[in-house]
Amino acid sequence: MTSELLIPPVDTAQRGALDKVVKSYDVRGLVGSELTEPLITALGAATADELELAGEPLVIGHDMRGSSPAFAKAFARGAVARGASVIHIGLGSTDESYFASGSLNAAAAMFTASHNPAAYNGIKLSRPGAKALSRDTGLGAIGERAAAYLEQGIPAAAVPGSEREQNVLADYAAKLRSLVDLSGIRPLKVVVDAANGMGGLTVPAVLGSAAGLPELPLEIIPLYFELDGTFPNHEANPLDPTNLVDLQKAVLEHKADLGLAFDGDADRCFVIDELGQPVSPSAVTAIVTIREVERARAADEEDITVIHNLITSRIVPETIQRLGARAVRTKVGHSLIKAEMARYNAVFGGEHSAHYYFRDFWGADNGMLAAMHVLAEAGSSCRAVSELAREHTPYVASGEINSTVEDVPGAYTRIVDAFQDRGEFDELDGLTVTGSTSRDEPFWWFSVRPSNTEPLLRLNAEAADEATMAAIRDEVLALIRQEA
């Protein structure tokens, strides 16, 4: 390191913003008031140092938000100052950045705020090989280093870094085609809502011929493929049912076989059946589980593991166990799932939030790949997607319900007192209570988890029938929201 300050200090008031934007699993905040180019430059330098990238490659990609290109350049400026060899991949999806990180064995920074509104932006960081970073495994240290650089300036590395551009879209598309063969399926009509996000770039490349690949037996009907970070049609958050309405209408109008909805950075995908009804991410997890376990069995694997988080439907572990594979239940969280995928060499992992993880994709999540599995399953038989969904949705779920709670321990105590003689307790990531498995009582369970950042409790409930689920849901909600 030389004593020369390549980038001088900036207003130290930005130091406080770092504490707000460095989250548990990524960097995210409001553009201008929280995320600024000097702050991003400091994070770039800090990332290069923390990940020891002097002389090593660093992939930088970005989504279609208005601030993303400038932020990508600002991050590169800091990283190059500290000696990193930056590879700009330009516009892309988050899973495309994972592809670049994995195939090039390079660290990666993806500029996106995923499904958040237009006023936000952020960074998803990966170690080489698409390995996740969390606050506890490097992201917190990056924030601390960045704070020092904001206050003291960024010195030049002994050996300067470099920058070059590389387009990886065609290779990314070819990789996915190699993992799920759709060439022999029956013709399918598919409506795709890209929500003006990065699916507008990746869907034509992977499911079409825009990247030079052969045509597939798919008729793609596009909705909102124009890249526009202001999201003029609806937010790019398919977890919100209001953002699925246009897709549901289009599926019915076009008499399509199914619909696909991507979030802003196109790493998550939601499925709509031919009747216009959403297919739960747990059902998609079960469908993909069967395909991935069977593929591993065909390769003569014996010790097969599938990961699921604790609030996926009970059908997921039941499916895994029925197939003779090992089901590993985890806490909720992107980096946690990735870590468990690596620990167990798991063939697949699924979350309730429509993140799907694949061993053959460096253990990273890829919504497009999950969608391709659904297309392959639907296209390899004459069964409708609604029939596939019903088969893998035997239980009734509440969905996640948030409650503002100032006294979280008090709420826990009330729940324990009310259910101590009625079920089994599990304290992995909050509190999970599973009802009696007696034949005389319907099956049920619920999970109550605290938010990491807000005074919230998150409730998920599931049961064998609607009446039982509603009764459990309402009873637990009353306990959570009871005034002290």
Side-chain angles (χ1 to χ4, degrees):
M1 181 187 299
T2 71
S3 59
E4 175 193 359
L5 281 182
L6 190 62
I7 300 174
V10 299
D11 182 357
T12 56
Q14 301 231 357
R15 169 67 179 86
L18 275 168
D19 296 331
K20 293 182 180 179
V21 302
V22 177
K23 311 292 187 182
S24 297
Y25 308 114
D26 60 12
V27 175
R28 199 168 302 190
L30 290 165
V31 174
S33 60
E34 295 175 345
L35 289 180
T36 64
E37 289 186 27
L39 184 146
I40 295 294
T41 298
L43 285 168
T47 298
D49 283 353
E50 180 64 24
L51 302 188
E52 299 179 345
L53 298 179
E56 298 295 325
L58 169 62
V59 169
I60 300 180
H62 63 82
D63 69 9
M64 66 294 135
R65 292 168 188 265
S67 58
S68 290
F71 279 169
K73 290 179 181 178
F75 190 89
R77 185 174 179 229
V80 169
R82 300 300 301 139
S85 300
V86 167
I87 303 170
H88 289 282
I89 63 171
L91 276 168
S93 62
T94 290
D95 52 295
E96 192 180 338
S97 79
Y98 295 151
F99 166 77
S101 177
S103 61
L104 300 174
N105 194 32
M110 174 67 189
F111 281 83
T112 180
S114 185
H115 60 281
N116 289 117
Y120 289 82
N121 211 328
I123 320 171
K124 294 183 178 181
L125 294 168
S126 303
R127 293 181 183 274
K131 293 181 174 64
L133 273 174
S134 67
R135 182 183 287 274
D136 296 332
T137 61
L139 188 55
I142 288 172
E144 292 172 4
R145 288 178 182 268
Y149 281 144
L150 284 172
E151 296 171 359
Q152 301 167 16
I154 301 173
V159 178
S162 62
E163 294 182 75
R164 66 180 178 87
E165 297 181 358
Q166 182 172 341
N167 190 325
V168 300
L169 181 60
D171 290 338
Y172 157 79
K175 172 68 173 179
L176 298 196
R177 290 274 193 103
S178 75
L179 296 177
V180 181
D181 184 6
L182 297 174
S183 61
I185 64 172
R186 65 183 172 91
L188 294 174
K189 183 184 292 187
V190 186
V191 182
V192 179
D193 185 344
N196 299 108
M198 292 314 306
L201 178 71
T202 58
V203 170
V206 178
L207 301 183
S209 58
L213 298 175
E215 292 277 4
L216 294 171
L218 300 172
E219 179 186 349
I220 302 296
I221 300 169
L223 285 183
Y224 315 135
F225 272 35
E226 304 80 10
L227 302 184
D228 189 337
T230 67
F231 307 113
N233 295 290
H234 60 72
E235 287 187 356
N237 179 14
L239 266 177
D240 184 343
T242 61
N243 297 322
L244 297 175
V245 172
D246 290 355
L247 177 59
Q248 291 170 298
K249 289 180 179 177
V251 166
L252 295 175
E253 176 186 344
H254 292 280
K255 295 181 171 56
D257 293 288
L258 71 156
L260 303 173
F262 289 90
D263 67 347
D265 59 337
D267 64 345
R268 286 189 298 160
C269 184
F270 286 71
V271 179
I272 301 296
D273 69 23
E274 82 285 357
L275 303 177
Q277 297 302 308
V279 178
S280 83
S282 287
V284 172
T285 296
I287 290 168
V288 180
T289 290
I290 294 170
R291 293 178 54 84
E292 286 289 74
V293 171
E294 288 179 347
R295 184 192 57 75
R297 287 262 188 259
D300 295 326
E301 291 189 43
E302 295 181 359
D303 184 15
I304 302 172
T305 298
V306 177
I307 306 292
H308 68 97
N309 72 23
L310 62 93
I311 57 176
T312 54
S313 169
R314 193 55 52 93
I315 189 60
V316 174
E318 288 176 351
T319 299
I320 299 167
Q321 292 158 5
R322 174 175 60 80
L323 295 167
R326 173 171 52 179
V328 174
R329 179 172 173 265
T330 75
K331 296 179 179 181
V332 175
H334 175 267
S335 295
L336 294 169
I337 295 277
K338 276 189 168 181
E340 294 297 85
M341 287 286 292
R343 177 185 175 190
Y344 289 98
N345 192 32
V347 68
F348 175 62
E351 288 195 274
H352 72 294
S353 56
H355 280 289
Y356 307 104
Y357 305 78
F358 296 87
R359 184 178 64 190
D360 288 346
F361 197 72
W362 300 279
D365 49 315
N366 191 317
M368 181 75 76
L369 196 49
M372 293 171 72
H373 274 287
V374 174
L375 291 169
E377 190 66 21
S380 62
S381 73
C382 293
R383 299 176 69 193
V385 173
S386 60
E387 183 181 348
L388 290 171
R390 280 195 302 273
E391 179 181 337
H392 300 291
T393 315
Y395 307 120
V396 180
S398 67
E400 190 156 275
I401 304 169
N402 293 323
S403 302
T404 301
V405 179
E406 296 298 336
D407 182 13
V408 170
Y412 270 51
T413 298
R414 292 192 294 272
I415 293 169
V416 171
D417 289 345
F419 284 91
Q420 59 183 343
D421 297 325
R422 298 161 58 187
E424 298 180 358
F425 287 75
D426 181 336
E427 295 185 2
L428 176 70
D429 199 2
L431 180 67
T432 299
V433 183
T434 302
S436 169
T437 56
S438 165
R439 293 182 179 180
D440 299 328
E441 298 180 21
F443 164 79
W444 58 265
W445 65 268
F446 68 84
S447 164
V448 178
R449 298 176 298 115
S451 166
N452 290 326
T453 57
E454 302 171 273
L456 294 176
L457 279 177
R458 309 187 191 280
L459 168 66
N460 285 269
E462 185 176 65
D465 56 70
E466 179 72 35
T468 302
M469 185 281 293
I472 293 294
R473 176 199 63 202
D474 294 347
E475 180 179 0
V476 179
L477 276 178
L479 293 167
I480 289 174
R481 296 172 179 177
Q482 179 180 317
E483 295 293 333

